[in-house]
Amino acid sequence: MRASPLLAPLRPGALAALGAPAIAMGATFLAFGAAVAAAGRGLGWALGASLLVYGMAGQLVLLQVAGVVPAALGATIANARFLPMALALAPWLGSGGRRWLALPFIAITPWAAAMRVLPGLPAPARLPWFLGFALVSWVMAGLATAAGHAAAPLLSPLLLAALLFTNPLYFALLLAAELRRPAQRRAILAGVLLAPVALWLPPAWGLLGAGLLGGTLAFLLGLRRGGG
């Protein structure tokens, strides 16, 4: 069956999201769905957190913090890391209002994949590729959350903890593959060196502060070396 003309441009990105990215996303969100069930909350709450917050750190804050306002504020701060990610990705999505379609789907896995693939694509194909990849990832997050919520009684706490780290591990492997490029190597090494800063800052700001300082250091080193 041929894809419709409307969906055909999304196909390359959608296919790229299957396989390792889908497994990494699925494992993490499956663990989240089980954690929601263990906390005594319903499937609707789990799906709302996964599909609307769509950032595991923010979702876990929302699950663990008591009170609507503190939980919403904590989740927002935890997901603040998506702002610099969106700014870095925006130039590769073209100009005009269409690129706003990508905004709700910016998360670690789609962002990392897009930053590796989009520079090598023709400009008209970049936004459709990202939307195809991101939509499959988003749907996978919802399906895995529902599966985890249903399977919660069968999953041990140790297995759930391991599953939650699947997606960060996949992201770390993607970063390791970029060490051959000078700019990416500087950014990764600067982030590792300044990671201890996160221990000195309040928990809500630690990761964001360390990332901001590490990224700034890598940028300044790049300017000193002529941007290579």
Side-chain angles (χ1 to χ4, degrees), residues 15 66 73:
L15 292 176
L73 181 60

Side-chain angles (χ1 to χ4, degrees), residues 159-184:
L159 176 60
L160 292 178
L163 290 174
L164 277 174
F165 281 98
T166 303
N167 206 37
L169 177 60
Y170 174 72
F171 181 64
L173 292 175
L174 287 179
L175 290 180
E178 298 298 312
L179 284 173
R180 65 185 183 278
R181 301 181 181 179
Q184 285 85 341

Side-chain angles (χ1 to χ4, degrees), residues 55-185:
M56 191 52 62
Q59 291 169 219
L60 292 175
V61 169
L62 198 63
L63 178 62
Q64 295 171 3
V65 175
V68 175
V69 174
L73 181 60
T76 300
I77 293 174
N79 280 358
R81 68 191 188 279
F82 292 147
L83 177 59
M85 292 166 63
L87 293 175
L89 183 62
W92 298 108
L93 298 177
S95 58
R98 289 199 312 156
R99 66 179 177 179
W100 288 95
L101 294 171
L103 188 60
F105 305 110
I106 293 177
I108 287 180
T109 299
W111 178 84
M115 293 300 290
R116 295 178 69 236
V117 173
L118 296 191
L121 294 180
R126 290 170 183 164
L127 179 59
W129 189 97
F130 178 80
L131 290 176
F133 189 103
L135 283 169
V136 168
S137 299
W138 188 72
V139 170
M140 175 58 68
L143 293 175
T145 298
H149 194 276
L154 306 176
L155 303 175
S156 69
L158 183 61
L159 176 60
L160 292 178
L163 290 174
L164 277 174
F165 281 98
T166 303
N167 206 37
L169 177 60
Y170 174 72
F171 181 64
L173 292 175
L174 287 179
L175 290 180
E178 298 298 312
L179 284 173
R180 65 185 183 278
R181 301 181 181 179
Q184 285 85 341
R185 184 164 60 245

